[in-house]
Amino acid sequence: MRTTKLQAWCESIIEAGWLAALIVTPLFFNVYSSRVFEPDKISLLRTIALVMLLAYLVKLADGGRAWLPPGGEEGASLPQEAEEAGASWPQRLLQVPFALPVILLVVAYLISTALSVAPRVSWWGSYQRLQGTYTFLSYIIVATLTAAHLRRPEQLRRLQHTVILTSLPIAIYGVIQHYDIDPLPWGGDVVTRVSANAGNPIFLAAYLIMAFFLTLERIYSSFAYLLTAQVDEQGGTVHDMASALVGGSYLFVLIVQLLAIFWSQSRGPWLGLAAGLYVFVLLLVTGLRPRNYRLWTGVWVGLGVLGAVALVLVNTTSLGEPLR
């Protein structure tokens, strides 16, 4: 199936939409509005989701594919293969990974809203948070359209670098708050527990631990590339200054992220960071498959099991009383 110019424009708008959501939602806040944080962020995200949905509907009206094939236009998607095999529309949809849980969750939201004692509030969200069914569906729209169109490596890199670069000023703002040099007059204490652009220490750290692992992957890839021997035509070693600078920049971003996460003083995100580091190392070992990788994987999994057992014992027996 050939892609028309209109379809290409619509796909570009959809990609610009998910990149804009990754920038605007965590970064924006307005000190002159009534709630400053959540309703303003969500209103912008809803608008972005509607623009993405409009571009998607225009693309479908022009005869474009609802779900791009893996690897770009040359591949064949799971729904397309099922269609060629004579499968029905529900069967083709259910072959998309993670489609069924998302559909069930959307149905649960809609039923809960219809049966709510305050359906209007359930749909639009409360005045404080604006987290209603409409907002949840906006999340689903952005996530689904991203999953349907993110196919090329350069798209993934753009998404990754967007998250990393957006997290930097947010983390720096947290450091500024910790040292009590924030020029804005916040009502609460933002020195002991920084909140930065999120307005809440837990929200801030929860966002940064997601950006942390994308940054960590870039650091690993940069320094792994530097450690790979590069030989020039004369047989000498080539020193890639650009890659070294990029790796150092990623390392700086990672340090600032860690400082902001630590100064948020939020135990939940700290535990999430620890669990994420465990999974990151596990994926690294199983993905790279170094020598004796089965042994290393077994040892690492064993450490995880021991940690889980120790966590249960600390919280359920007298062994954890000194720690508690």
Side-chain angles (χ1 to χ4, degrees), residues 14 52-60 65-67 145 149:
I14 291 171
M52 294 176 65
L53 180 61
L54 177 61
Y56 184 67
L57 294 177
V58 171
K59 174 190 169 184
L60 293 182
R65 286 177 173 174
W67 196 276
L145 295 184
H149 294 85

Side-chain angles (χ1 to χ4, degrees), residues 209 212-213 261 267-281 300:
I209 64 173
F212 172 85
F213 291 104
I261 292 170
R267 291 169 294 178
W270 286 359
L271 293 175
L273 181 65
L277 285 171
Y278 176 82
V279 174
F280 186 88
V281 174
W300 194 250

Side-chain angles (χ1 to χ4, degrees), residues 219 222-223 226 242-255:
I219 290 175
S222 298
F223 285 101
L226 286 173
S243 298
L245 291 174
V246 169
S249 300
Y250 287 134
L251 185 60
F252 169 76
V253 175
L254 189 80
I255 293 172

Side-chain angles (χ1 to χ4, degrees), residues 125-149:
S126 68
Y127 168 75
Q128 289 81 7
R129 300 291 189 192
L130 218 63
Q131 292 285 359
T133 301
Y134 178 30
T135 300
F136 173 75
L137 294 178
S138 300
Y139 300 154
I140 295 296
I141 289 171
V142 174
T144 303
L145 295 184
T146 303
H149 294 85

Side-chain angles (χ1 to χ4, degrees), residues 13-24 48 52 142 146 155 158-160 162-163 166:
I13 292 173
I14 291 171
E15 181 176 358
W18 77 61
L19 294 178
L22 290 172
I23 297 172
V24 171
I48 292 171
M52 294 176 65
V142 174
T146 303
Q155 288 180 304
R158 279 196 292 269
L159 184 148
Q160 186 174 8
T162 298
V163 174
T166 304

Side-chain angles (χ1 to χ4, degrees), residues 56-273:
Y56 184 67
L57 294 177
V58 171
K59 174 190 169 184
L60 293 182
D62 192 53
R65 286 177 173 174
W67 196 276
L68 293 185
E73 291 294 327
E74 300 300 327
S77 63
L78 290 176
Q80 183 185 11
E81 291 173 350
E83 182 178 7
E84 294 174 354
S88 62
W89 182 84
Q91 291 175 327
R92 298 199 304 269
L93 179 62
L94 293 179
Q95 289 195 31
V96 177
F98 211 58
L100 181 59
V102 172
I103 293 172
L104 293 176
L105 190 57
V106 170
V107 171
Y109 263 80
L110 294 176
I111 293 175
S112 300
T113 301
L115 302 179
S116 172
V117 295
R120 184 181 180 86
V121 177
S122 296
W123 174 258
W124 294 108
S126 68
Y127 168 75
Q128 289 81 7
R129 300 291 189 192
L130 218 63
Q131 292 285 359
T133 301
Y134 178 30
T135 300
F136 173 75
L137 294 178
S138 300
Y139 300 154
I140 295 296
I141 289 171
V142 174
T144 303
L145 295 184
T146 303
H149 294 85
L150 199 156
R151 292 293 180 267
R152 301 187 304 275
E154 60 268 23
Q155 288 180 304
L156 180 60
R157 284 289 173 249
R158 279 196 292 269
L159 184 148
Q160 186 174 8
H161 288 121
T162 298
V163 174
I164 294 172
L165 291 176
T166 304
S167 71
L168 178 59
I170 296 173
I172 290 176
Y173 191 21
V175 175
I176 290 174
Q177 286 184 334
H178 176 75
Y179 285 105
D180 199 16
I181 54 178
D182 185 359
L184 297 177
W186 298 113
D189 180 16
V190 293
V191 177
T192 305
R193 299 186 66 196
V194 302
S195 58
N197 301 55
N200 185 301
I202 298 176
F203 297 169
L204 171 66
Y207 163 74
L208 288 177
I209 64 173
M210 293 187 287
F212 172 85
F213 291 104
L214 296 178
T215 311
L216 185 61
E217 187 276 332
R218 287 286 82 204
I219 290 175
Y220 172 81
S221 299
S222 298
F223 285 101
Y225 174 77
L226 286 173
L227 293 176
T228 303
Q230 302 290 330
V231 181
D232 57 16
E233 296 178 355
Q234 288 75 29
T237 303
V238 176
H239 299 282
D240 194 338
M241 182 59 67
S243 298
L245 291 174
V246 169
S249 300
Y250 287 134
L251 185 60
F252 169 76
V253 175
L254 189 80
I255 293 172
V256 178
Q257 290 172 346
L258 282 175
L259 288 174
I261 292 170
F262 176 74
W263 284 329
S264 71
Q265 298 294 301
S266 300
R267 291 169 294 178
W270 286 359
L271 293 175
L273 181 65

